[in-house]
């Protein structure tokens, strides 16, 4: 019991953001970042026209109105360094320069994100044969590059990869910490993402706004499920302004409708940044409906920023839950996640999820929009599609000593 209490106190401090002295979240970004990022669909094959088109589509599609507020330009924009060592944007792909492109993004009321590496070379310089990325990393040019990207060009977010850092044999905690301090000194409020491809360690909570917990995502259900598992036990490190990054979304990139819904739902439940990775100029109405589900987004953007926990695991069928607003609000979000290739019935007991069933509760199905009248049932059951999910928003009375406070 004593050990449980100690673990609860530590986890509560982590969730509330008072463990150590975490980097301050950017103003207005205490909740997970939302936007679009270029890498999943375009890799290094980006240009000025593509970024402008995606920016425009974010607005005309209604995604900006739904909360998506960033356009993130990943690897592939580099054009070498000038005689003074300053980075140049690619003269053919980005003829008007990055500063003008950022200004265009800003003119649409959006934030702009950029990319670099902790070492000398970027990931794309090797893995995607984009040789112009050689020598484009931060190593040896830290202040020069960050002053240019964040102040002169005007970026509001930076993702820092680790390929070059790994190739140099750098110590990740030391390196990412010094980069984070420099970013904060140059332009306080810039969002900083550590892209180490695994959970870096609890030190990162004091350094960055988000950090990758996995290798690069793939547009396959098994890959989605693996990332969920990697993040399952990392909930103590998530809180306002500091979240576990499960990588960019693959919604609309080849999976089934139910798989896309499950993918988006679990990213929302586990407080991952919501960065669409599809081509916004060609997405279907179905994809748009998933990405703009306002009730699902509201869960992701809940101000408590309490990452969902897996509270029941029956193999292929799981029950995940998280409190909303605060741990005694009597409002929770529940995800019934079915990993199996066949539909399955998943049951849960509201009392085990902090809700006092005897005092009554109501439920909203976040995807079907079906509302359930007030109930005192001690158990609920739902049929969940193969590779699918049912997400419920439940409102009732919180148990005074509940799972979200003491375990």
């Amino acid at each position: 019991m004593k050990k449980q209490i100690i673990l609860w106190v530590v986890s509560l401090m982590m969730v509330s953001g008072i463990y150590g002295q975490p980097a301050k979240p950017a103003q207005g970004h205490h909740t997970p970042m939302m936007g679009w990022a270029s890498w999943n669909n375009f890799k290094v094959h980006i240009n000025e026209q593509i970024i402008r088109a995606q920016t425009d589509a974010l607005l005309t599609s209604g995604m900006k109105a739904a909360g998506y507020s960033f356009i993130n330009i990943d690897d592939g924009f580099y054009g070498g360094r000038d005689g003074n060592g300053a980075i140049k944007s690619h003269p053919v792909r980005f003829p008007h320069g990055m500063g003008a492109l950022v200004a265009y993004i800003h003119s649409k009321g959006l934030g702009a994100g950029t990319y670099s590496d902790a070492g000398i070379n970027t990931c794309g310089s090797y893995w995607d044969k984009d040789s112009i990325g050689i020598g484009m990393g931060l190593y040896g040019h830290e202040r020069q590059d960050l002053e240019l990207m964040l102040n002169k060009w005007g970026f509001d977010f930076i993702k820092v990869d680790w390929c070059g850092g790994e190739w140099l044999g750098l110590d990740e905690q030391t390196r990412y910490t010094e980069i984070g301090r420099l970013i904060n000194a140059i332009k306080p409020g810039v969002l900083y993402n550590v892209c180490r491809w695994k959970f870096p360690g609890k030190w990162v909570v004091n350094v960055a706004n988000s950090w990758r917990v996995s290798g690069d995502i793939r547009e396959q259900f098994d890959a989605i499920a693996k990332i969920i598992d990697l993040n399952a036990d990392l909930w103590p490190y998530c809180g306002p302004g500091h979240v576990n990054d499960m990588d960019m979304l693959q919604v609309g990139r080849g999976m089934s409708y139910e798989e896309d819904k499950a993918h988006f739902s679990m990213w929302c439940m586990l407080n991952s940044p919501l960065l669409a990775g599809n081509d916004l100029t060609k997405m279907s109405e179905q994809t748009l409906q998933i990405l703009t589900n306002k009730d699902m987004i509201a869960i992701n953007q809940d101000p408590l920023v309490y990452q969902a926990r897996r509270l029941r695991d029956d193999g292929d069928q799981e029950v995940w839950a998280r409190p909303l607003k605060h741990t005694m609000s009597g409002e929770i979000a529940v995800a019934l996640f079915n990993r199996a290739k066949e539909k399955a019935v998943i049951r849960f007991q509201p009392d085990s999820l902090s809700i006092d069933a005897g005092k009554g509760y109501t439920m909203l199905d976040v995807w079907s929009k079906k509302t359930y009248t007030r109930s005192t049932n001690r158990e609920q059951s739902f049929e969940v599609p193969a590779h699918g999910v049912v997400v419920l928003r439940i409102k009732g009375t919180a148990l005074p000593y509940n799972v979200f406070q003491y375990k």
Side-chain angles (χ1 to χ4, degrees), residues 171-403:
D171 177 78
E172 59 196 84
Q173 181 176 354
T174 301
R175 183 60 175 155
Y176 277 117
T177 299
E178 63 188 12
I179 291 172
R181 287 173 178 166
L182 189 55
I183 289 169
N184 192 57
I186 289 172
K187 190 176 179 179
V190 165
L191 293 173
Y192 174 36
N193 175 265
V194 166
C195 188
R196 174 62 187 91
W197 328 309
K198 67 177 183 179
F199 178 62
K202 64 183 181 181
W203 58 266
V204 79
V205 179
N206 301 327
V207 170
N209 301 104
S210 60
W211 45 86
R212 280 275 295 280
V213 300
S214 71
D216 285 1
I217 193 171
R218 290 177 288 113
E219 56 269 40
Q220 297 172 1
F221 182 79
D222 288 347
I224 302 303
K226 179 180 179 180
I227 293 174
I228 292 169
D229 288 338
L230 289 173
N231 198 16
D233 296 327
L234 299 179
W235 62 269
Y237 308 105
C238 178
H242 309 278
V243 298
N244 295 299
D245 176 10
M246 298 165 72
D247 205 359
M248 296 162 280
L249 292 163
Q250 293 282 9
V251 176
R253 300 201 67 244
M255 292 189 295
S256 73
Y257 174 60
E258 294 298 342
E259 289 170 342
D260 273 352
K261 280 201 311 181
H263 170 27
F264 187 71
S265 297
M266 295 307 290
W267 261 233
C268 288
M269 288 289 294
L270 275 70
N271 281 338
S272 181
L274 300 181
L275 294 172
N278 57 310
D279 184 345
L280 302 182
T281 68
K282 298 178 180 178
M283 66 178 160
S284 67
E285 185 62 29
Q286 188 178 85
T287 294
L288 179 62
Q289 288 178 357
I290 292 173
L291 292 173
T292 57
N293 183 312
K294 65 178 182 179
D295 294 307
M296 207 68 251
I297 290 172
I299 292 170
N300 177 262
Q301 295 293 299
D302 183 76
L304 184 60
V305 196
Y306 191 116
Q307 180 175 309
R309 293 162 57 188
R310 182 163 48 195
L311 298 180
R312 182 169 173 176
D313 186 351
D314 295 328
D316 283 339
Q317 287 77 46
E318 302 169 353
V319 177
W320 296 72
R322 56 180 286 178
L324 302 171
K325 298 180 182 177
H326 57 83
T327 57
M328 289 296 294
S329 68
E331 294 187 44
I332 64 172
V334 178
L336 310 177
F337 182 46
N338 181 19
R339 297 168 181 260
K341 295 180 180 179
E342 303 82 26
K343 63 184 179 181
V345 173
I346 300 181
R347 296 176 170 82
F348 69 92
Q349 295 74 40
D351 291 271
S352 69
L353 307 180
S354 84
I355 298 296
D356 188 339
K359 292 185 177 180
Y361 57 91
T362 59
M363 299 189 297
L364 167 70
D365 186 317
V366 169
W367 286 106
S368 73
K369 305 305 179 186
K370 180 178 179 180
T371 57
Y372 294 83
T373 56
R374 194 168 185 83
S375 171
T376 55
N377 290 346
R378 295 289 180 181
E379 182 174 89
Q380 293 286 347
S381 64
F382 288 83
E383 185 176 274
V384 184
H387 287 184
V389 71
V390 168
V391 180
L392 304 165
R393 187 163 180 141
I394 301 177
K395 185 180 293 187
T397 301
L399 289 165
Y401 303 101
N402 67 63
V403 68

